[in-house]
Amino acid sequence: MGLNAAQKILSAHLVDGVPGGAGELGLKVDRTLTQDSTGTMAYLEFEALGVERVKTELSVAYVDHNILQTGFENADDHEYIRTVAKKHGILFSRPGNGICHQVNLERFSAPGKILIGSDSHTPTAGGAGMLAFGAGGLDVAVAMGGGAYYIADPKIVGVELKGRLSEGVSAKDVILELLRRLTVKGGVGKIIEYFGEGVKTLGVPERATICNMGAELGATSSIFPSDEITREFFKAQGREADFTELSADADASYDELISLDLSVLEPLAACPHMPDRIKPVSELEGLKIDQVCIGSCTNSSLLDMLKVAAILKGKTIAETVNLTISPGSRQVLDELARLGALSDILNAGARVLECACGPCIGMGQAPKSGAVSLRTFNRNFEGRSGTADAQVYLVSPETAAASALAGCITDPREAARGLKIELPASFTINDNLISAPASAEAAGEVEVVRGPNIKPFPVGHPCEGDIAAEVTLKVGDNITTDHIMPSGSSLLPYRSNIPYLSGFCFSRCDEGFPERARKAGQGIIIGGENYGQGSSREHAALAPLALGVRAVIAKSFARIHRDNLVNAGIAPLEFADASDYENVALGEKLSIKDIGEALNEDREELEVFKQNGGSFKVKIDLTARRRAILLAGGLLNYTKKTAGEERT
Ligand code: MIC
Ligand code: SF4
């Protein structure tokens, strides 16, 4: 039996585990990326591991998130990342160079390789045939130290693309259609692999858009084959040498199959406040809008920007609309200028922002009270824009541009009629914003600069004996990491300061939580389905850890967050019977009996006793390795311990 593309890469990198079983796969990591809002913590953890030089073939540190410098904190963190990267053998992509996923696609993607990144949208690189995973900072730190990356053995879903997109319908609509069909939980435990005739009609940036929002499906990763179109992309980037062909064998099979006819798709929008609340744009037409934001790692390629420029050309945006445009990289912005399209964008009335995440993570451009904001981004979680009552819709660049002109949600098919975008055969290559690390010999001379905002991070406690603690928080389904540890311009500067940050943990759901948790000393969180969906920020585990959380009992967990909990030494446990969720109350005292023993003995269930009598069962759905991590009190303790054992 032949292999599909994902299986080929997985088997070439397998260092632990058996594919096809129920366990985990340990994978050799070729490359890593970090961005600044998760990177400070990842490098502090890397330093704590005591490894001198990274052991990966390539590691790159980007600065793209914490760009507003309204105080010293972000600038200090950038300097820490610059110097720590220089010392330990990591390339540094300076502020202004662009969003990590866009720059990675352009300059560092490579078909057939494995990349992990401390950002949930790392699978964007799947558009260039790379198998890429979003991970917590500590997992990236361990990989930089030469450790394997572990994933639950994924199911591989084959999405067969047929036909060709009609005018005005774009790659964004493809992934919105999948979100409509599968929901934000539909990809959990799965790698989504695209194949079929329709693949040939999509360029690498379009494939990258589709892979990018696989994160919103909860997927482990997403990947396209690497074909002649991929070769052209690498050629245009002056990197043909990095190209290799990679596709599924003719007799390959998939665990599940989905068929998607591109030619019948229409423009879609994700309605407030979840990426899977999909409606056709035609149904929303006429809804008055206040803001339009174009950019983010989903839709900031040159192709997207040129489409937007062509729709805006010679026109003026509606008087009541604020339009922001953030090109994904300096290369994109430079090309826009060179081709004259920047002038079309500026003259239509757009506010051109830095090549960075910007409004996507609430780093500025919070819309007005109650605003309707149309964004080409990937997440529309409540409050993420920085305005609690804003209504954010996620759309394609075409829909965003046409709507900005009209002042209301507008089907872009009319505006996009006859639109033909030619990408340049070769891009202007200038890597002068990527700083090389010091040589191994000179590394000793590099001083790592730590600003006063960098504070020690909490380290977990071994899971042993009973966990007897109060329920310090109870929340519902689909809790995102933006609920757990909100971002935005006021909190992102404290990503290297967990003591401060933890004071805002869950502030969007329950402002009293931090104080209650501190008072209780030890706590247990009760959650619903898909707990921890969204970003890879390990701060969503570290802040609860700092507030004494020892276990989270939920109906189900999102992949990266579950890993982050284990890495922090917090036990993620699942209700054996989901209806028991109803019977646990805030403030109730619970006793999780003999958790250490249960982990040690590989037990699959555990009894939780309630203070006022009665008990319920929880599942421990964790592999032997993850159990050992919990027993050690988190991945840092575990890695140091196992490294010590190997030395003796
Ligand atoms: C996001 O889109 O939520 C982020 C900001 O990029 C996060 C990382 C973070 O929280 O720093 C992500 O997606 O992992
Ligand atoms: Fe940045 Fe937004 Fe992409 Fe996250 S989703 S990496 S904040 S652009």
Side-chain angles (χ1 to χ4, degrees):
M1 173 81 81
L3 298 177
N4 55 49
Q7 284 168 333
K8 287 184 188 180
I9 304 180
L10 288 173
S11 60
H13 289 81
L14 195 68
V15 291
D16 197 4
V18 187
E24 279 185 314
L25 305 181
L27 304 169
K28 176 183 174 298
V29 175
D30 301 313
R31 301 180 175 194
T32 64
L33 71 76
T34 57
Q35 40 88 336
D36 49 335
S37 67
T38 53
T40 41
M41 198 49 70
Y43 293 115
L44 289 169
E45 290 161 339
F46 177 76
E47 288 185 296
L49 288 173
V51 180
E52 283 306 317
R53 302 284 287 181
V54 287
K55 303 215 164 90
T56 43
E57 66 173 42
L58 182 78
S59 286
V60 186
Y62 295 85
V63 173
D64 54 1
H65 281 63
N66 294 357
I67 289 299
L68 288 184
Q69 293 166 217
T70 52
F72 63 89
E73 293 87 354
N74 285 343
D76 278 10
D77 281 0
H78 299 169
E79 183 61 357
Y80 166 68
I81 295 175
R82 185 185 76 77
T83 52
V84 83
K86 188 131 215 121
K87 191 175 187 71
H88 295 287
I90 300 151
L91 270 63
F92 178 66
S93 173
R94 295 166 60 177
N97 199 40
I99 305 174
C100 55
H101 308 304
Q102 179 63 26
V103 177
N104 175 63
L105 191 71
E106 293 165 358
R107 309 305 304 145
F108 300 113
S109 58
K113 302 253 182 200
I114 285 196
L115 164 76
I116 73 165
S118 62
D119 191 279
S120 63
H121 291 103
T122 305
T124 310
M130 197 170 199
L131 194 57
F133 304 98
L138 188 48
D139 279 319
V140 176
V142 167
M144 288 190 289
Y149 179 58
Y150 284 80
I151 54 168
D153 190 7
K155 294 236 173 315
I156 317 242
V157 180
V159 178
E160 181 174 13
L161 298 180
K162 297 178 182 156
R164 169 184 290 278
L165 292 170
S166 345
E167 279 185 344
V169 184
S170 95
K172 180 66 160 277
D173 301 309
V174 176
I175 189 67
L176 291 179
E177 167 64 11
L178 280 177
L179 274 153
R180 186 185 71 75
R181 293 196 201 177
L182 303 178
T183 81
V184 290
K185 315 193 283 246
V188 176
K190 299 170 183 176
I191 292 179
I192 317 277
E193 178 170 325
Y194 296 86
F195 72 102
E197 283 303 300
V199 166
K200 294 200 196 102
T201 68
L202 300 169
V204 168
E206 293 168 298
R207 299 174 184 186
T209 294
I210 295 171
C211 290
N212 174 280
M213 276 190 87
E216 278 51 62
L217 292 168
T220 305
S221 189
S222 297
I223 189 166
F224 271 82
S226 167
D227 55 12
E228 276 314 300
I229 290 169
T230 322
R231 183 201 292 277
E232 286 309 309
F233 173 83
F234 278 90
K235 216 160 145 192
Q237 289 289 343
R239 302 203 286 125
E240 208 180 342
D242 292 338
F243 170 80
T244 44
E245 208 190 310
L246 177 90
S247 58
D249 293 330
D251 57 346
S253 67
Y254 294 94
D255 296 305
E256 284 168 41
L257 272 177
I258 293 176
S259 169
L260 208 156
D261 184 352
L262 299 174
S263 61
V264 301
L265 286 183
E266 59 178 309
L268 298 172
C271 302
H273 299 285
M274 244 345 120
D276 60 0
R277 300 213 175 125
I278 307 295
K279 280 196 180 154
V281 168
S282 56
E283 270 182 36
L284 299 164
E285 253 192 327
L287 182 73
K288 201 184 148 302
I289 56 174
D290 305 287
Q291 186 190 47
V292 176
C293 300
I294 299 179
S296 91
C297 55
T298 315
N299 280 123
S300 61
S301 66
L302 183 62
L303 176 72
D304 287 334
M305 295 290 154
L306 288 177
K307 287 197 273 193
V308 168
I311 293 174
L312 296 179
K313 189 178 168 110
K315 307 204 170 75
T316 301
I317 56 169
E319 195 184 333
T320 49
V321 169
N322 260 288
L323 169 64
T324 73
I325 299 215
S326 321
S329 68
R330 201 256 315 253
Q331 186 190 65
V332 171
L333 180 54
D334 185 35
E335 287 292 340
L336 285 174
R338 195 171 66 85
L339 300 168
L342 184 59
S343 171
D344 299 331
I345 290 174
L346 288 172
N347 284 301
R351 298 163 67 180
V352 178
L353 308 179
E354 254 187 279
C355 304
C357 303
C360 178
I361 192 56
M363 261 290 154
Q365 306 301 326
K368 71 176 194 192
S369 297
V372 173
S373 177
L374 230 58
R375 301 176 162 215
T376 64
F377 307 165
N378 47 42
R379 291 186 173 141
N380 58 349
F381 304 144
E382 199 167 3
R384 182 174 158 107
S385 67
T387 302
D389 59 0
Q391 307 290 311
V392 177
Y393 292 76
L394 306 175
V395 295
S396 71
E398 291 90 326
T399 303
S403 305
L405 293 175
C408 56
I409 296 188
T410 302
D411 189 320
R413 283 177 284 192
E414 182 57 42
R417 185 148 304 141
L419 203 75
K420 283 265 167 310
I421 304 296
E422 290 282 332
L423 283 177
S426 62
F427 287 79
T428 311
I429 311 297
N430 180 359
D431 289 331
N432 68 353
L433 281 179
I434 297 170
S435 311
S439 65
E441 298 70 48
E445 270 83 289
V446 180
E447 189 210 339
V448 177
V449 182
R450 285 165 229 277
N453 190 38
I454 294 184
K455 297 279 186 285
F457 57 89
V459 178
H461 318 275
C463 276
E464 53 196 10
D466 301 345
I467 296 181
E470 180 182 321
V471 175
T472 45
L473 186 78
K474 184 172 177 183
V475 287
D477 290 347
N478 288 325
I479 285 295
T480 71
T481 52
D482 280 79
H483 290 110
I484 306 174
M485 201 54 262
S487 289
S489 57
S490 60
L491 287 183
L492 276 167
Y494 299 98
R495 285 291 183 91
S496 49
N497 185 345
I498 300 289
Y500 179 82
L501 205 59
S502 57
F504 300 87
C505 189
F506 277 107
S507 55
R508 282 200 191 130
C509 306
D510 182 343
E511 275 189 347
F513 169 66
E515 209 194 308
R516 196 161 60 237
R518 283 199 185 107
K519 238 195 219 146
Q522 289 213 113
I524 296 172
I525 293 177
I526 302 294
E529 297 283 4
N530 202 22
Y531 179 85
Q533 69 160 324
S535 88
S536 69
R537 66 190 71 144
E538 60 190 329
H539 306 76
L542 292 176
L545 177 66
L547 295 171
V549 173
R550 302 291 314 277
V552 179
I553 305 177
K555 291 185 191 168
S556 66
F557 289 90
R559 178 186 75 93
I560 306 178
H561 186 60
R562 182 207 295 258
D563 292 354
N564 284 339
L565 287 173
V566 173
N567 290 352
I570 299 176
L573 304 169
E574 283 170 39
F575 286 102
D577 178 348
S579 68
D580 284 325
Y581 168 88
E582 306 300 335
N583 305 326
V584 189
L586 181 68
E588 187 170 359
K589 291 233 165 57
L590 299 179
S591 174
I592 307 176
K593 271 283 170 227
D594 297 327
I595 181 150
E597 222 174 280
L599 290 168
N600 243 327
E601 291 170 3
D602 214 18
R603 275 193 252 147
E604 284 177 8
E605 278 197 344
L606 191 62
E607 188 126 22
V608 181
F609 291 89
K610 293 157 68 81
Q611 174 190 19
N612 302 329
S615 69
F616 61 93
K617 292 227 161 71
V618 291
K619 287 188 286 179
I620 317 178
D621 185 11
L622 296 169
T623 58
R625 182 181 152 275
R626 291 198 197 275
R627 287 166 187 256
I629 294 174
L630 282 178
L631 286 164
L635 184 60
L636 198 61
N637 293 335
Y638 172 83
T639 308
K640 284 185 175 167
K641 194 171 144 231
T642 44
E645 280 163 8
E646 270 163 28
R647 273 200 296 274
T648 51

